[in-house]
Amino acid sequence: MKSYQLFNWKTKPRLVDVPQPTAGPNQVLVKVGGNGLCHSDLHAVDDLCCSPLHLDIELPMTLGHEVAGWVEAPGPGVRGLEIGLPCAITAVGCGQCVLCAQGWNNYCRSRAKQVGMGLDGGLSEYVVAPVGAIVPLHSLAPWQAAPLTDAGLSSYHAVKRVLPLLTPGSSVLVIGVGGLGHLAIAALKAMCAARVIAVDQRPQALELGISMGADLGMLTNDTTAQQILDATAGAGVQAVLDFVGVNSSIQLARQVIRPLGHIVVVGRGGGSIDFTPRGLPYGACISSSFGGSKLELMELLALAEAGRIACRIERHPLSQVDTVFDKLRRNEIIGRAVIVPDGH
């Protein structure tokens, strides 16, 4: 079978022929129906010079962590998953710590190897996943579900963190209408009555944000903060979801957040904040976010299958994965790119 593998750190991955894997105990062999491309994949290829210490990754490794497909063969000891069942693959925790027991597998302190990061991933024709990572699908096609397992889930989790603040008449700012931001807008419109303000540097991205339901779109410039304050009668917004995470986006969030508001920084742009007691309005907070829980993925997939949330997707065959990675590097993907095995 064909797999897109990383052989050495900071080198270009290659599409190679490898044997089809088999599922071991408590594992499931999945026939890949789609794999979403993510900037985290670029980080693994372009930036990492060695394995993260907590994962101890062995190369070669097949890339791709936004995976969905069909159950091909349950491994020994696996029950209740029929061959041909459409499914998505999510990250798993250790299952033993307090955070896992509370349902927050995305914040598990053990940070076990995941499909596409330590375990071979979904830029392939088949992938093996832990049985606990399998989430059944119903009406949603695997190629539609794939980007929801990370991009959609990260956005949905961030939205849920601020949802109690977003009562009717409130406003929320989404900074960065890319692969995650456009899904956050869709989730906001599906889950609350707040007015959604979208900000991005690219006109095409703002057009996407408006098509997903944003009530107001603004190009980033020196007057953006004042425009947001004017649009909220000087009061600012109850919540900010920052999918960029650079210094300028965090500063914009600080300028427009209300007292008792919440800024969630999802983007990994490397920005920072110098905190002082008066650095934010009284009662306001700023937090980081990572992924989402398995339960939240189930909720998100249910919304998608009900037609309440949809991802803007470009589909490309596995044979063109190099070209699509280059488009992602150049920030030319509007929405999310999904790689499917050739012939699908």
Side-chain angles (χ1 to χ4, degrees):
M1 69 175 190
K2 296 290 186 182
S3 290
Y4 192 60
Q5 292 198 332
L6 181 66
F7 285 84
N8 292 290
W9 300 109
K10 287 197 172 183
T11 62
K12 186 177 181 178
R14 304 200 307 269
L15 191 60
V16 296
D17 290 299
V18 298
Q20 180 178 309
T22 58
N26 297 313
Q27 294 179 331
V28 179
L29 178 65
V30 174
K31 182 178 181 180
V32 176
N35 186 102
L37 288 193
C38 178
H39 278 87
S40 296
D41 297 313
L42 289 182
H43 174 62
V45 172
D46 297 341
D47 301 327
L48 294 182
C49 59
C50 61
S51 171
L53 292 178
H54 66 281
L55 290 181
D56 190 23
I57 295 173
E58 297 180 3
L59 299 181
M61 178 187 72
T62 302
L63 296 171
H65 59 274
E66 292 187 348
V67 196
W70 301 269
V71 172
E72 180 74 9
V78 175
R79 301 289 184 269
L81 294 178
E82 297 181 358
I83 295 174
L85 174 74
C87 62
I89 296 175
T90 191
V92 294
C94 70
Q96 306 299 318
C97 68
V98 171
L99 292 168
C100 283
Q102 292 174 335
W104 297 117
N105 56 283
N106 51 316
Y107 293 121
C108 175
R109 298 293 295 272
S110 296
R111 302 289 292 277
K113 294 179 181 181
Q114 308 294 336
V115 169
M117 187 53 70
L119 306 177
D120 283 329
L123 287 173
S124 183
E125 297 179 63
Y126 293 89
V127 64
V128 170
V131 65
I134 300 298
V135 178
L137 300 174
H138 302 285
S139 60
L140 207 61
W143 65 269
Q144 295 173 309
L148 299 180
T149 61
D150 183 24
L153 182 58
S154 297
S155 302
Y156 181 77
H157 177 63
V159 168
K160 286 194 69 175
R161 295 191 67 188
V162 300
L163 202 58
L165 298 175
L166 302 182
T167 54
S170 62
S171 297
V172 54
L173 173 64
V174 175
I175 303 177
V177 191
L180 277 69
H182 86 285
L183 288 165
I185 293 170
L188 286 164
K189 300 306 291 187
M191 300 169 68
C192 71
R195 181 169 59 157
V196 178
I197 303 172
V199 169
D200 201 286
Q201 295 178 334
R202 302 165 296 165
Q204 306 98 313
L206 283 185
E207 291 173 8
L208 175 58
I210 296 298
S211 73
M212 302 303 287
D215 300 286
L216 187 61
M218 299 178 184
L219 287 171
T220 306
N221 56 47
D222 292 339
T223 67
T224 303
Q226 189 59 53
Q227 291 181 60
I228 294 168
L229 292 173
D230 290 345
T232 57
V237 299
Q238 277 83 357
V240 178
L241 303 178
D242 181 0
F243 292 98
V244 181
V246 296
N247 286 337
S248 59
S249 63
I250 295 173
Q251 180 61 23
L252 174 61
R254 292 174 65 174
Q255 290 175 302
V256 301
I257 196 68
R258 292 187 182 198
L260 295 175
H262 188 171
I263 301 167
V264 182
V265 181
V266 185
R268 298 292 187 265
S272 62
I273 179 172
D274 292 326
F275 181 79
T276 66
R278 294 187 180 182
L280 291 170
Y282 287 124
C285 66
I286 183 168
S287 67
S288 62
S289 179
F290 182 77
S293 70
K294 184 176 181 179
L295 176 59
E296 287 176 326
L297 179 58
M298 293 176 176
E299 295 171 355
L300 175 61
L301 291 172
L303 281 173
E305 290 179 325
R308 303 288 300 279
I309 290 177
C311 182
R312 176 71 64 86
I313 290 174
E314 296 182 9
R315 276 207 301 177
H316 302 272
L318 182 60
S319 57
Q320 296 179 9
V321 64
D322 277 327
T323 300
V324 185
F325 258 107
D326 288 339
K327 287 184 65 177
L328 187 63
R329 281 189 183 91
R330 296 191 298 266
N331 209 24
E332 294 175 357
I333 304 293
I334 302 297
R336 208 70 170 172
V338 172
I339 303 297
V340 300
D342 288 48
H344 281 238

